[in-house]
Each structure stands twice: as structure tokens, then as C-alpha cells.
Amino acid sequence: MLVLLPPSEGKAASGRGAPLKPESLALPGLAAARAAVLDELVELCTADEEKAREVLGLSEGLRGEIAKNVELRTAGTRPAGEIYTGVLYDALDLASLDTAARRRAGKSLLVFSGLWGAVRVGDRIPSYRCSMGVKLPGLGPLGAYWRAPMAQALPEAAGDGLVLDLRSSAYTAAWKPKGAVAERTASVRVLHSQLVDGVEKRSVVSHFNKATKGRMVRDLLLAGARPEGPAELVEALRELGYVVEAEAPARAGRAWSLDVVVTEIH
């Protein structure tokens, strides 16, 4: 099972470990594309702080984030699973998983990134600021920039197993599964169900959508679940107590759509 996750806007500080070693990152097929984004991002943030703030979409209060990008090649690193913070990662709580579940997380979790393309949670990276929605002057919109290298690297990473897609829309732009891979892909959204004047109303609530996805991945890892495809994933989630509504694709070469319905949000 390959689980596709979005990153977090907020990130922990860079660690005290050795500086970035690009050759050590997973998915070596992305190396050239990563180098190009890294070069331009560092150059932009070093040369013109005001322009960098505009390009990166940072408020005045986040101006300090630019300094992180200036030091990307020399800053200390830590595992990506520690760098990414926020609601989903708090709920996933990788650090508290048992040894077997952490091992499964290292093999199955893939975090998408405007800077790195995608990394494993065990890959050592520095803290940075560069979302997939950024348009770098020399490379253009990163969502579009990453499509070609991702199209080469991701099918190989997916292999012949299930792909559980939990990415936000900005990151789905970088890679959309096609053909046989798409048929093994399940895209999940979380819906909050509540009664309003006796009528059920459903809505997507961003914060709780992320938290539920984090808990869902955590539960699958702890249970050692190994669903072979979307239908088996639905069964596994239901066995774990989730209310899941599944929609098989109407045509070949399309992904499954799964709704996880919650009545309590926390």
C-alpha cells in the first residue's frame, strides 16, 4: 500500500543532523527536478527578500521563513515525518507508533512537496517554505512543473498495490494516477454528518478532515492492514469502525471515490 499525503504549511525547525544529502532521498528519479527547484528557490530567497515574499505568498509576519530557504543546503536535517507538523501529522503521531507500525509507515507513506516533489517520512530534509501552489519565475507553477518527473517516478513507487490518496487539491495537480494504477487508487474525503431540523446535512470541515485522515492512516498502520485494492480497503476501514461509502469508477482507468462519514468531529 502506498499512502499519498499532503505536507503541512507549518514545519518544525531544521534538526542538528548533517546537512541535506539529495542523493539519499527516496525516488531518485526526481533528483534532477529537485535540484532545479532547490537552485531557483535558494537563489530567489538570497537575491531579493521582498520578491521572494511575494512569490511564496508570505505575509509580513512570515518574512522569517525566507531565511530558511536561504540556508537549505547547509541547515541541519531531520526525518520528514518530524519536519511536517499540523493537524494531520498530530493525529498520525508517528513518534508514538510501535516498531512494526513505524516500519510500515516508512515503507508506505509518501509526502508530496512543492520543493522535493515527494519524500518518504524517513528521508532527512531541512525545514523549508515552498508550497505546490508557488509559481517560481524560472520554472513556472510547481504543480505543472512536477507532472512530467512524477509521471515517471510514481507508477514505479506504486508498484502493483493499492494507492490511498489523501492529498489536498493543490498536490493532486502534480500527479494523477492513470490506467491500471488509477484502478488501484482510492481517493478519500471526510464528510461531517449532522441533523439540521431533522434533515441530514453533510459538509467538509478542513480541520477535522485532516485529523480524521491522520487517525485513519494511524489505525491502518497499527492494525497491519494490507488491503490489495480499493474494495479491500473499504472492508479494512469498516472493520476498524469507520463509516465508509464507496463508489467504484464508472469506467476503466479511473480511481475509486471513498467518503468517510463522521458524526463527531474532534
Side-chain angles (χ1 to χ4, degrees), residues 104-122:
R104 288 189 283 269
K107 293 179 179 179
S108 63
L109 305 188
L110 197 64
V111 185
F112 273 59
S113 162
L115 173 55
W116 314 115
V119 292
R120 301 282 187 186
V121 291

Side-chain angles (χ1 to χ4, degrees), residues 154-231:
L154 266 293
E156 181 179 351
D160 57 2
L162 167 72
V163 177
L164 174 53
D165 192 352
L166 303 178
R167 296 172 295 165
S168 53
S169 59
Y171 292 88
T172 59
W175 183 60
K176 295 183 179 179
K178 296 181 179 180
V181 179
E183 293 175 7
R184 300 193 305 273
T185 298
S187 178
V188 176
R189 65 176 180 172
V190 178
L191 298 178
H192 177 220
S193 173
Q194 57 184 329
L195 290 178
V196 178
D197 296 328
V199 178
E200 184 191 29
K201 301 290 185 180
R202 292 184 174 183
S203 60
V204 176
V205 184
S206 178
H207 176 94
F208 305 106
N209 170 57
K210 295 174 183 177
T212 300
K213 287 180 177 178
R215 285 192 293 270
M216 184 174 65
V217 174
R218 179 181 177 83
D219 289 343
L220 288 168
L221 292 171
L222 286 171
R226 295 184 178 181
E228 297 181 357

Side-chain angles (χ1 to χ4, degrees), residues 7-63:
S8 57
E9 285 296 327
K11 298 174 181 68
S14 294
R16 296 184 178 181
L20 175 70
K21 296 179 179 179
E23 69 279 5
S24 71
L25 300 180
L27 305 182
L30 300 178
R34 286 172 177 149
V37 179
L38 179 63
D39 287 347
E40 181 162 355
L41 184 61
V42 171
E43 181 179 352
L44 170 68
C45 293
T46 302
D48 190 334
E49 183 177 291
E50 196 58 40
K51 182 178 181 181
R53 188 168 73 86
E54 179 182 345
V55 169
L56 297 175
L58 300 176
S59 66
E60 181 64 35
L62 292 174
R63 182 182 290 272

Side-chain angles (χ1 to χ4, degrees), residues 28-142:
L30 300 178
R34 286 172 177 149
V37 179
L38 179 63
D39 287 347
E40 181 162 355
L41 184 61
V42 171
E43 181 179 352
L44 170 68
C45 293
T46 302
D48 190 334
E49 183 177 291
E50 196 58 40
K51 182 178 181 181
R53 188 168 73 86
E54 179 182 345
V55 169
L56 297 175
L58 300 176
S59 66
E60 181 64 35
L62 292 174
R63 182 182 290 272
E65 295 288 284
I66 297 170
K68 288 184 178 180
N69 293 343
V70 173
E71 300 173 352
L72 281 171
R73 294 192 179 93
T74 57
T77 58
R78 61 201 303 178
E82 296 178 13
I83 289 286
Y84 296 115
T85 59
V87 177
L88 188 153
Y89 292 91
D90 285 347
L92 177 54
D93 196 6
L94 288 168
S96 70
L97 293 174
D98 61 44
T99 302
R102 283 200 300 272
R103 188 181 306 114
R104 288 189 283 269
K107 293 179 179 179
S108 63
L109 305 188
L110 197 64
V111 185
F112 273 59
S113 162
L115 173 55
W116 314 115
V119 292
R120 301 282 187 186
V121 291
D123 286 347
R124 298 191 67 91
I125 58 173
S127 188
Y128 68 96
R129 189 70 176 233
C130 185
S131 71
M132 193 66 80
V134 163
K135 182 179 180 180
L136 289 176
L139 298 178
L142 290 176

Side-chain angles (χ1 to χ4, degrees), residues 222-266:
L222 286 171
R226 295 184 178 181
E228 297 181 357
E232 292 80 7
L233 173 65
V234 172
E235 293 178 9
L237 289 173
R238 287 173 176 167
E239 289 177 0
L240 290 169
Y242 290 89
V243 177
V244 183
E245 297 177 356
E247 182 180 341
R251 291 187 293 171
R254 299 293 180 89
W256 283 55
S257 296
L258 273 58
D259 286 341
V260 174
V261 183
V262 298
T263 56
E264 295 182 4
I265 51 179
H266 54 85

